[in-house]
Amino acid sequence: MNPEDLDAPGPGLLPGDPHDEKLLRNVHPPGWKNPIPAHRYDLVIIGAGTAGLVAAAGAAGLGARVALIERQLMGGDCLNSGCVPSKTLIRSATAIAAARDTHRLGVRAPSPAETDFHAVMERVRAIRARISHNDSAHRFRDELGVDVFIGHGTFLDSRRIGVDGASLSFRKAVVATGTSPLVPKIEGLDRIGYRTHETLFSLPSLPQRLGVLGAGPIGCEMAQAFQRLGARVTVIERADQVLPREDPDVAELVETSLSAEGVDVRLGTSLFEVGERAGEKTLTLDSGGLSENLVVDEIVVATGRTPNLAGLGLEEAGIEHSPQGILVDDRLRTTNPRVFAAGDICLDTHFTHAADFSARTVIQNALFFGRKKRSSLTIPWCTYTDPEVARVGLGAREAESRGIAIDTFVRHFEDVDRAIADGEETGFVRIHTERGRDRILGATIVGHRASEMIGEIVLAMDAGIGLGRLASVIHPYPTRSEAIRQCGDAYNRTRLTPRTRRLFEIVLAWLR
């Protein structure tokens, strides 16, 4: 992709839509006039996604002179095509699923629940526009004192960045240009047309038949959401499980849920060719050498991400990179010691919260000679399917592959009172500790609101609090989070060895 192709405000916006027009006024203001550059900036940032915005706001708040450059939409993927619109859509899908399932709770709905897809998508655009003020060019300029440049930033040399014909001299710089959807080279795909998460939220109507290519987090989330909203969804995945980065039993729970709701999950299957027949999109699939044609109305590509490196002039600045992104050390410095990177462009964890905290690391190290390391960050990740999947640290499969001995403690939600009362019993809390020691190495939570529960374990790991200590933390009853305390109880029971038990018996007998 050529850099000039990326200079348009952004894909997936509806011309004339009042919500998208409000969004543009905030994050890519028409007629925006770039400021006259300062003589020298403490920090120049290319990219105004999560990492760039956090770096700019944090540095300016500490008194630094900051310039922020963005060629598309401020707010980046998270606001415009990722977290905000997708979770808004998922909320509507969750509501319709709950309405159709009230009989399990003894509630009879007066009429079948139906989806107003136009209203659902309008709500997505309205909420995105409402939140966009936080990331707006006017806010960063007028309230935070950042020099905001709308245009294409490129390194002129190791100490200067050019944008819109101007030259910005910097003491330190940050590259935070993020990633874009990775579209595989499949015969006919470009010609027939497809959507990614960047253009999915401008769908004018609900596709009756939707093909989703890829069963990672985005693919699974959108497949379930659109199935609930009324589409017939087929997921095509080359791997032998959905969510390939998760442990197999976790993936199996999610796959079972998708299939139970009607999603057609095709594992070990490749999309070989895309064609058109009688005005319909035809997908030629290959599964174990067997060919099959699948007819769909829309195709969603969710096969991964690729770093936005084009047109940055990295060679002129002496910044090395690879197909995976910009190369950085543990302090997020590039091969040019004056330039740092933050967010998806340099991390292997493509999450908003990871971008946020990598930017905080950069502020310390770039401006104040800090020695903060990215390896010290405890980063959880969540997949917002139903059931949700939340994980931090090592999983069982990863620990085995590294040869790390672990003890594992599990509490299934079918044994947790609140989960039983809510009728949300699918899933479990699973916590791994170092073999023979009370040190948490990782945890996986699968189930309703898992994303809201994982924070307690992240805090424990970050603060060096052992699993046994969590057993003494009083949790309200009844709550799902009691499952975490109960894992702590299970750990403490392992400390009651036969010898210890015998000693207790002797002491109790003596006290009688």
Short mmCIF file of all heavy atoms in Angstrom, two decimals, residues 354-411:
data_model
loop_
_atom_site.label_atom_id
_atom_site.label_comp_id
_atom_site.label_asym_id
_atom_site.label_seq_id
_atom_site.Cartn_x
_atom_site.Cartn_y
_atom_site.Cartn_z
N ALA A 354 -2.13 -2.31 26.16
CA ALA A 354 -0.69 -2.50 25.99
C ALA A 354 -0.06 -1.27 25.35
O ALA A 354 1.03 -0.83 25.74
CB ALA A 354 -0.42 -3.74 25.14
N ALA A 355 -0.75 -0.70 24.36
CA ALA A 355 -0.26 0.53 23.74
C ALA A 355 -0.19 1.66 24.74
O ALA A 355 0.78 2.44 24.78
CB ALA A 355 -1.18 0.91 22.57
N ASP A 356 -1.21 1.77 25.57
CA ASP A 356 -1.27 2.81 26.61
C ASP A 356 -0.04 2.73 27.51
O ASP A 356 0.69 3.72 27.70
CB ASP A 356 -2.56 2.60 27.42
CG ASP A 356 -2.77 3.64 28.51
OD1 ASP A 356 -1.79 4.14 29.09
OD2 ASP A 356 -3.93 3.94 28.82
N PHE A 357 0.22 1.55 28.05
CA PHE A 357 1.30 1.46 29.03
C PHE A 357 2.67 1.42 28.39
O PHE A 357 3.67 1.77 29.03
CB PHE A 357 1.06 0.26 29.96
CG PHE A 357 0.09 0.60 31.06
CD1 PHE A 357 -1.27 0.57 30.84
CD2 PHE A 357 0.56 1.00 32.30
CE1 PHE A 357 -2.17 0.91 31.83
CE2 PHE A 357 -0.32 1.35 33.31
CZ PHE A 357 -1.69 1.31 33.08
N SER A 358 2.76 1.04 27.12
CA SER A 358 4.05 1.18 26.44
C SER A 358 4.37 2.66 26.25
O SER A 358 5.54 3.06 26.34
CB SER A 358 4.03 0.44 25.10
OG SER A 358 3.19 1.07 24.16
N ALA A 359 3.34 3.47 26.00
CA ALA A 359 3.56 4.92 25.86
C ALA A 359 4.03 5.53 27.18
O ALA A 359 4.89 6.43 27.19
CB ALA A 359 2.28 5.59 25.38
N ARG A 360 3.47 5.06 28.28
CA ARG A 360 3.92 5.57 29.59
C ARG A 360 5.38 5.20 29.84
O ARG A 360 6.14 5.98 30.43
CB ARG A 360 3.03 5.00 30.69
CG ARG A 360 1.57 5.43 30.58
CD ARG A 360 0.69 4.64 31.53
NE ARG A 360 -0.71 4.87 31.26
CZ ARG A 360 -1.58 5.40 32.13
NH1 ARG A 360 -1.16 5.76 33.33
NH2 ARG A 360 -2.85 5.57 31.81
N THR A 361 5.76 4.02 29.38
CA THR A 361 7.16 3.60 29.49
C THR A 361 8.06 4.52 28.68
O THR A 361 9.13 4.94 29.14
CB THR A 361 7.31 2.15 29.01
OG1 THR A 361 6.53 1.29 29.83
CG2 THR A 361 8.76 1.70 29.02
N VAL A 362 7.61 4.86 27.47
CA VAL A 362 8.39 5.73 26.60
C VAL A 362 8.57 7.12 27.23
O VAL A 362 9.67 7.70 27.16
CB VAL A 362 7.72 5.85 25.22
CG1 VAL A 362 8.26 7.05 24.45
CG2 VAL A 362 7.95 4.57 24.42
N ILE A 363 7.54 7.67 27.83
CA ILE A 363 7.65 9.00 28.44
C ILE A 363 8.76 9.01 29.47
O ILE A 363 9.62 9.91 29.51
CB ILE A 363 6.31 9.42 29.08
CG1 ILE A 363 5.26 9.64 28.00
CG2 ILE A 363 6.49 10.70 29.91
CD1 ILE A 363 3.87 9.89 28.57
N GLN A 364 8.77 7.99 30.33
CA GLN A 364 9.81 7.92 31.37
C GLN A 364 11.20 7.81 30.76
O GLN A 364 12.14 8.51 31.17
CB GLN A 364 9.56 6.73 32.28
CG GLN A 364 8.27 6.79 33.08
CD GLN A 364 8.07 5.53 33.92
OE1 GLN A 364 8.98 5.09 34.62
NE2 GLN A 364 6.89 4.96 33.84
N ASN A 365 11.33 6.94 29.78
CA ASN A 365 12.66 6.67 29.24
C ASN A 365 13.16 7.75 28.29
O ASN A 365 14.35 8.04 28.24
CB ASN A 365 12.65 5.32 28.52
CG ASN A 365 12.41 4.16 29.47
OD1 ASN A 365 12.54 4.30 30.69
ND2 ASN A 365 12.05 3.01 28.93
N ALA A 366 12.26 8.34 27.51
CA ALA A 366 12.69 9.32 26.51
C ALA A 366 12.96 10.69 27.12
O ALA A 366 13.92 11.37 26.73
CB ALA A 366 11.62 9.45 25.43
N LEU A 367 12.14 11.11 28.06
CA LEU A 367 12.24 12.47 28.57
C LEU A 367 13.06 12.59 29.85
O LEU A 367 13.65 13.63 30.12
CB LEU A 367 10.85 13.04 28.82
CG LEU A 367 9.95 13.18 27.58
CD1 LEU A 367 8.60 13.79 27.98
CD2 LEU A 367 10.62 14.03 26.52
N PHE A 368 13.10 11.52 30.64
CA PHE A 368 13.68 11.65 31.98
C PHE A 368 14.73 10.60 32.29
O PHE A 368 14.94 10.24 33.44
CB PHE A 368 12.56 11.60 33.03
CG PHE A 368 11.55 12.70 32.85
CD1 PHE A 368 10.30 12.43 32.33
CD2 PHE A 368 11.86 14.02 33.18
CE1 PHE A 368 9.37 13.45 32.15
CE2 PHE A 368 10.95 15.04 33.00
CZ PHE A 368 9.70 14.76 32.48
N PHE A 369 15.37 10.06 31.27
CA PHE A 369 16.48 9.11 31.47
C PHE A 369 16.05 7.92 32.31
O PHE A 369 16.84 7.38 33.09
CB PHE A 369 17.68 9.82 32.12
CG PHE A 369 18.06 11.10 31.44
CD1 PHE A 369 17.73 12.33 32.00
CD2 PHE A 369 18.72 11.08 30.22
CE1 PHE A 369 18.06 13.51 31.37
CE2 PHE A 369 19.07 12.27 29.59
CZ PHE A 369 18.74 13.49 30.15
N GLY A 370 14.80 7.51 32.15
CA GLY A 370 14.29 6.38 32.91
C GLY A 370 14.84 5.06 32.39
O GLY A 370 15.43 4.99 31.31
N ARG A 371 14.63 4.02 33.16
CA ARG A 371 15.11 2.68 32.79
C ARG A 371 13.96 1.67 32.86
O ARG A 371 14.15 0.49 33.13
CB ARG A 371 16.25 2.26 33.71
CG ARG A 371 17.42 3.25 33.69
CD ARG A 371 18.52 2.80 34.62
NE ARG A 371 19.17 1.58 34.17
CZ ARG A 371 20.15 1.55 33.28
NH1 ARG A 371 20.59 2.66 32.71
NH2 ARG A 371 20.70 0.40 32.93
N LYS A 372 12.75 2.17 32.61
CA LYS A 372 11.57 1.30 32.63
C LYS A 372 11.64 0.30 31.49
O LYS A 372 11.97 0.65 30.35
CB LYS A 372 10.31 2.15 32.47
CG LYS A 372 9.00 1.37 32.51
CD LYS A 372 8.66 0.92 33.90
CE LYS A 372 7.26 0.32 33.93
NZ LYS A 372 6.90 -0.16 35.27
N LYS A 373 11.32 -0.97 31.77
CA LYS A 373 11.41 -2.02 30.76
C LYS A 373 10.02 -2.52 30.39
O LYS A 373 9.17 -2.72 31.25
CB LYS A 373 12.26 -3.18 31.29
CG LYS A 373 13.71 -2.80 31.56
CD LYS A 373 14.50 -4.01 32.06
CE LYS A 373 15.96 -3.64 32.29
NZ LYS A 373 16.75 -4.81 32.76
N ARG A 374 9.83 -2.78 29.10
CA ARG A 374 8.55 -3.32 28.67
C ARG A 374 8.34 -4.74 29.21
O ARG A 374 7.22 -5.17 29.42
CB ARG A 374 8.44 -3.32 27.15
CG ARG A 374 9.40 -4.24 26.44
CD ARG A 374 9.04 -4.40 24.98
NE ARG A 374 10.04 -5.16 24.26
CZ ARG A 374 9.90 -5.59 23.02
NH1 ARG A 374 8.79 -5.33 22.38
NH2 ARG A 374 10.85 -6.27 22.42
N SER A 375 9.43 -5.47 29.44
CA SER A 375 9.31 -6.82 29.97
C SER A 375 8.77 -6.85 31.38
O SER A 375 8.34 -7.90 31.87
CB SER A 375 10.67 -7.53 29.92
OG SER A 375 11.64 -6.83 30.68
N SER A 376 8.78 -5.70 32.05
CA SER A 376 8.24 -5.64 33.41
C SER A 376 6.73 -5.40 33.43
O SER A 376 6.11 -5.44 34.49
CB SER A 376 8.93 -4.52 34.19
OG SER A 376 8.57 -3.24 33.67
N LEU A 377 6.13 -5.16 32.26
CA LEU A 377 4.69 -4.90 32.20
C LEU A 377 3.92 -6.22 32.29
O LEU A 377 4.25 -7.19 31.61
CB LEU A 377 4.33 -4.19 30.89
CG LEU A 377 4.97 -2.82 30.65
CD1 LEU A 377 4.59 -2.30 29.26
CD2 LEU A 377 4.55 -1.83 31.72
N THR A 378 2.91 -6.23 33.12
CA THR A 378 2.02 -7.39 33.25
C THR A 378 0.77 -7.08 32.43
O THR A 378 -0.10 -6.32 32.86
CB THR A 378 1.65 -7.64 34.72
OG1 THR A 378 2.85 -7.79 35.49
CG2 THR A 378 0.81 -8.90 34.86
N ILE A 379 0.68 -7.67 31.25
CA ILE A 379 -0.36 -7.28 30.29
C ILE A 379 -1.39 -8.40 30.13
O ILE A 379 -1.06 -9.49 29.65
CB ILE A 379 0.26 -6.95 28.92
CG1 ILE A 379 1.26 -5.79 29.07
CG2 ILE A 379 -0.83 -6.59 27.91
CD1 ILE A 379 2.02 -5.48 27.79
N PRO A 380 -2.63 -8.16 30.51
CA PRO A 380 -3.68 -9.15 30.26
C PRO A 380 -4.26 -8.97 28.87
O PRO A 380 -4.05 -7.94 28.23
CB PRO A 380 -4.73 -8.79 31.32
CG PRO A 380 -4.59 -7.30 31.47
CD PRO A 380 -3.12 -6.99 31.25
N TRP A 381 -4.95 -9.98 28.38
CA TRP A 381 -5.70 -9.81 27.12
C TRP A 381 -7.03 -10.54 27.22
O TRP A 381 -7.17 -11.51 27.94
CB TRP A 381 -4.90 -10.22 25.90
CG TRP A 381 -4.43 -11.63 25.80
CD1 TRP A 381 -5.07 -12.68 25.22
CD2 TRP A 381 -3.16 -12.14 26.24
NE1 TRP A 381 -4.30 -13.81 25.27
CE2 TRP A 381 -3.13 -13.51 25.89
CE3 TRP A 381 -2.07 -11.57 26.89
CZ2 TRP A 381 -2.03 -14.32 26.18
CZ3 TRP A 381 -0.99 -12.38 27.17
CH2 TRP A 381 -0.97 -13.73 26.82
N CYS A 382 -8.01 -9.99 26.49
CA CYS A 382 -9.37 -10.49 26.59
C CYS A 382 -9.98 -10.65 25.19
O CYS A 382 -9.71 -9.85 24.30
CB CYS A 382 -10.25 -9.52 27.39
SG CYS A 382 -9.63 -9.16 29.04
N THR A 383 -10.79 -11.68 25.05
CA THR A 383 -11.60 -11.88 23.86
C THR A 383 -13.05 -11.79 24.29
O THR A 383 -13.48 -12.51 25.20
CB THR A 383 -11.32 -13.25 23.22
OG1 THR A 383 -9.93 -13.31 22.87
CG2 THR A 383 -12.17 -13.45 21.98
N TYR A 384 -13.81 -10.91 23.63
CA TYR A 384 -15.15 -10.55 24.13
C TYR A 384 -16.25 -11.36 23.44
O TYR A 384 -17.26 -10.82 23.01
CB TYR A 384 -15.37 -9.05 23.97
CG TYR A 384 -14.40 -8.25 24.79
CD1 TYR A 384 -13.16 -7.87 24.27
CD2 TYR A 384 -14.68 -7.89 26.10
CE1 TYR A 384 -12.24 -7.16 25.02
CE2 TYR A 384 -13.78 -7.18 26.87
CZ TYR A 384 -12.56 -6.81 26.32
OH TYR A 384 -11.65 -6.11 27.08
N THR A 385 -16.01 -12.67 23.36
CA THR A 385 -17.06 -13.57 22.94
C THR A 385 -17.93 -13.90 24.15
O THR A 385 -17.71 -13.40 25.25
CB THR A 385 -16.43 -14.86 22.38
OG1 THR A 385 -15.42 -15.33 23.30
CG2 THR A 385 -15.81 -14.63 21.02
N ASP A 386 -18.91 -14.75 23.94
CA ASP A 386 -19.71 -15.27 25.06
C ASP A 386 -19.58 -16.79 25.00
O ASP A 386 -20.14 -17.42 24.11
CB ASP A 386 -21.17 -14.84 24.91
CG ASP A 386 -22.04 -15.30 26.07
OD1 ASP A 386 -21.50 -15.87 27.03
OD2 ASP A 386 -23.27 -15.10 26.00
N PRO A 387 -18.79 -17.42 25.91
CA PRO A 387 -18.16 -16.83 27.09
C PRO A 387 -16.92 -16.00 26.73
O PRO A 387 -16.26 -16.25 25.72
CB PRO A 387 -17.74 -18.06 27.90
CG PRO A 387 -17.47 -19.11 26.86
CD PRO A 387 -18.51 -18.87 25.79
N GLU A 388 -16.64 -15.00 27.59
CA GLU A 388 -15.42 -14.22 27.41
C GLU A 388 -14.20 -15.05 27.80
O GLU A 388 -14.29 -15.98 28.61
CB GLU A 388 -15.47 -12.96 28.28
CG GLU A 388 -16.47 -11.92 27.82
CD GLU A 388 -16.41 -10.65 28.63
OE1 GLU A 388 -15.73 -10.62 29.68
OE2 GLU A 388 -17.06 -9.66 28.21
N VAL A 389 -13.07 -14.68 27.23
CA VAL A 389 -11.79 -15.30 27.58
C VAL A 389 -10.84 -14.19 28.02
O VAL A 389 -10.63 -13.23 27.28
CB VAL A 389 -11.18 -16.06 26.39
CG1 VAL A 389 -9.83 -16.65 26.77
CG2 VAL A 389 -12.12 -17.14 25.89
N ALA A 390 -10.30 -14.33 29.22
CA ALA A 390 -9.34 -13.35 29.73
C ALA A 390 -8.11 -14.10 30.22
O ALA A 390 -8.23 -15.13 30.90
CB ALA A 390 -9.94 -12.53 30.86
N ARG A 391 -6.95 -13.60 29.86
CA ARG A 391 -5.72 -14.31 30.23
C ARG A 391 -4.62 -13.32 30.59
O ARG A 391 -4.55 -12.22 30.05
CB ARG A 391 -5.26 -15.21 29.07
CG ARG A 391 -4.03 -16.05 29.41
CD ARG A 391 -4.03 -17.36 28.66
NE ARG A 391 -3.66 -17.22 27.27
CZ ARG A 391 -2.41 -17.37 26.81
NH1 ARG A 391 -1.42 -17.61 27.66
NH2 ARG A 391 -2.15 -17.28 25.53
N VAL A 392 -3.73 -13.75 31.47
CA VAL A 392 -2.55 -12.96 31.80
C VAL A 392 -1.41 -13.94 32.09
O VAL A 392 -1.63 -15.03 32.63
CB VAL A 392 -2.80 -12.04 33.02
CG1 VAL A 392 -3.13 -12.84 34.28
CG2 VAL A 392 -1.63 -11.10 33.26
N GLY A 393 -0.21 -13.56 31.72
CA GLY A 393 0.94 -14.41 31.99
C GLY A 393 0.92 -15.69 31.19
O GLY A 393 0.40 -15.75 30.07
N LEU A 394 1.47 -16.74 31.77
CA LEU A 394 1.62 -18.02 31.07
C LEU A 394 0.32 -18.81 31.06
O LEU A 394 -0.39 -18.88 32.06
CB LEU A 394 2.70 -18.86 31.74
CG LEU A 394 4.15 -18.39 31.66
CD1 LEU A 394 5.06 -19.36 32.40
CD2 LEU A 394 4.60 -18.24 30.22
N GLY A 395 0.04 -19.43 29.92
CA GLY A 395 -0.99 -20.45 29.85
C GLY A 395 -0.35 -21.81 30.03
O GLY A 395 0.88 -21.96 30.01
N ALA A 396 -1.17 -22.85 30.18
CA ALA A 396 -0.65 -24.19 30.42
C ALA A 396 0.22 -24.67 29.25
O ALA A 396 1.30 -25.23 29.45
CB ALA A 396 -1.80 -25.16 30.67
N ARG A 397 -0.26 -24.44 28.02
CA ARG A 397 0.48 -24.90 26.85
C ARG A 397 1.81 -24.16 26.72
O ARG A 397 2.84 -24.76 26.38
CB ARG A 397 -0.37 -24.72 25.60
CG ARG A 397 0.25 -25.26 24.34
CD ARG A 397 -0.74 -25.31 23.20
NE ARG A 397 -1.31 -23.99 22.90
CZ ARG A 397 -2.18 -23.78 21.93
NH1 ARG A 397 -2.60 -24.78 21.19
NH2 ARG A 397 -2.65 -22.56 21.71
N GLU A 398 1.80 -22.86 27.00
CA GLU A 398 3.03 -22.08 26.90
C GLU A 398 4.04 -22.50 27.96
O GLU A 398 5.24 -22.59 27.68
CB GLU A 398 2.70 -20.59 27.04
CG GLU A 398 3.85 -19.67 26.76
CD GLU A 398 3.45 -18.21 26.83
OE1 GLU A 398 2.29 -17.92 27.17
OE2 GLU A 398 4.31 -17.37 26.54
N ALA A 399 3.56 -22.75 29.17
CA ALA A 399 4.46 -23.20 30.24
C ALA A 399 5.12 -24.52 29.87
O ALA A 399 6.32 -24.73 30.07
CB ALA A 399 3.69 -23.33 31.55
N GLU A 400 4.34 -25.43 29.28
CA GLU A 400 4.89 -26.73 28.88
C GLU A 400 5.94 -26.57 27.80
O GLU A 400 7.00 -27.21 27.83
CB GLU A 400 3.76 -27.63 28.39
CG GLU A 400 4.21 -29.02 27.98
CD GLU A 400 3.07 -29.89 27.50
OE1 GLU A 400 1.93 -29.39 27.41
OE2 GLU A 400 3.32 -31.08 27.21
N SER A 401 5.65 -25.69 26.81
CA SER A 401 6.60 -25.50 25.72
C SER A 401 7.91 -24.88 26.20
O SER A 401 8.97 -25.11 25.61
CB SER A 401 5.98 -24.63 24.63
OG SER A 401 5.78 -23.30 25.09
N ARG A 402 7.86 -24.11 27.27
CA ARG A 402 9.08 -23.49 27.82
C ARG A 402 9.77 -24.37 28.84
O ARG A 402 10.83 -24.00 29.37
CB ARG A 402 8.72 -22.14 28.47
CG ARG A 402 8.25 -21.08 27.52
CD ARG A 402 8.15 -19.76 28.26
NE ARG A 402 7.54 -18.71 27.47
CZ ARG A 402 7.39 -17.46 27.89
NH1 ARG A 402 7.82 -17.11 29.09
NH2 ARG A 402 6.81 -16.55 27.12
N GLY A 403 9.15 -25.49 29.19
CA GLY A 403 9.74 -26.37 30.18
C GLY A 403 9.64 -25.83 31.59
O GLY A 403 10.48 -26.13 32.45
N ILE A 404 8.62 -25.03 31.87
CA ILE A 404 8.43 -24.43 33.19
C ILE A 404 7.46 -25.30 33.99
O ILE A 404 6.32 -25.53 33.56
CB ILE A 404 7.89 -22.99 33.07
CG1 ILE A 404 8.90 -22.12 32.33
CG2 ILE A 404 7.60 -22.41 34.46
CD1 ILE A 404 8.39 -20.71 32.04
N ALA A 405 7.89 -25.77 35.13
CA ALA A 405 7.04 -26.61 35.99
C ALA A 405 6.05 -25.73 36.74
O ALA A 405 6.43 -24.73 37.36
CB ALA A 405 7.91 -27.40 36.96
N ILE A 406 4.78 -26.10 36.70
CA ILE A 406 3.74 -25.30 37.33
C ILE A 406 2.80 -26.19 38.15
O ILE A 406 2.71 -27.40 37.94
CB ILE A 406 2.90 -24.52 36.30
CG1 ILE A 406 2.23 -25.50 35.30
CG2 ILE A 406 3.75 -23.49 35.57
CD1 ILE A 406 1.27 -24.83 34.34
N ASP A 407 2.13 -25.58 39.11
CA ASP A 407 0.98 -26.17 39.77
C ASP A 407 -0.24 -25.39 39.31
O ASP A 407 -0.19 -24.16 39.18
CB ASP A 407 1.12 -26.07 41.29
CG ASP A 407 2.25 -26.94 41.83
OD1 ASP A 407 2.38 -28.08 41.36
OD2 ASP A 407 3.00 -26.46 42.71
N THR A 408 -1.34 -26.10 39.08
CA THR A 408 -2.53 -25.47 38.52
C THR A 408 -3.72 -25.67 39.44
O THR A 408 -3.95 -26.78 39.93
CB THR A 408 -2.85 -26.06 37.13
OG1 THR A 408 -1.72 -25.84 36.26
CG2 THR A 408 -4.08 -25.40 36.53
N PHE A 409 -4.47 -24.57 39.64
CA PHE A 409 -5.64 -24.60 40.52
C PHE A 409 -6.84 -24.08 39.72
O PHE A 409 -6.78 -23.01 39.12
CB PHE A 409 -5.39 -23.74 41.76
CG PHE A 409 -4.18 -24.21 42.54
CD1 PHE A 409 -2.92 -23.70 42.25
CD2 PHE A 409 -4.31 -25.18 43.52
CE1 PHE A 409 -1.81 -24.14 42.95
CE2 PHE A 409 -3.19 -25.63 44.22
CZ PHE A 409 -1.94 -25.11 43.93
N VAL A 410 -7.91 -24.86 39.73
CA VAL A 410 -9.06 -24.58 38.88
C VAL A 410 -10.33 -24.54 39.73
O VAL A 410 -10.52 -25.38 40.62
CB VAL A 410 -9.21 -25.64 37.78
CG1 VAL A 410 -10.40 -25.31 36.87
CG2 VAL A 410 -7.94 -25.76 36.96
N ARG A 411 -11.19 -23.60 39.42
CA ARG A 411 -12.52 -23.55 40.00
C ARG A 411 -13.52 -23.34 38.86
O ARG A 411 -13.47 -22.33 38.17
CB ARG A 411 -12.65 -22.40 41.01
CG ARG A 411 -13.98 -22.37 41.76
CD ARG A 411 -14.14 -23.57 42.68
NE ARG A 411 -15.31 -23.41 43.55
CZ ARG A 411 -15.73 -24.33 44.39
NH1 ARG A 411 -15.05 -25.48 44.51
NH2 ARG A 411 -16.79 -24.13 45.16
#
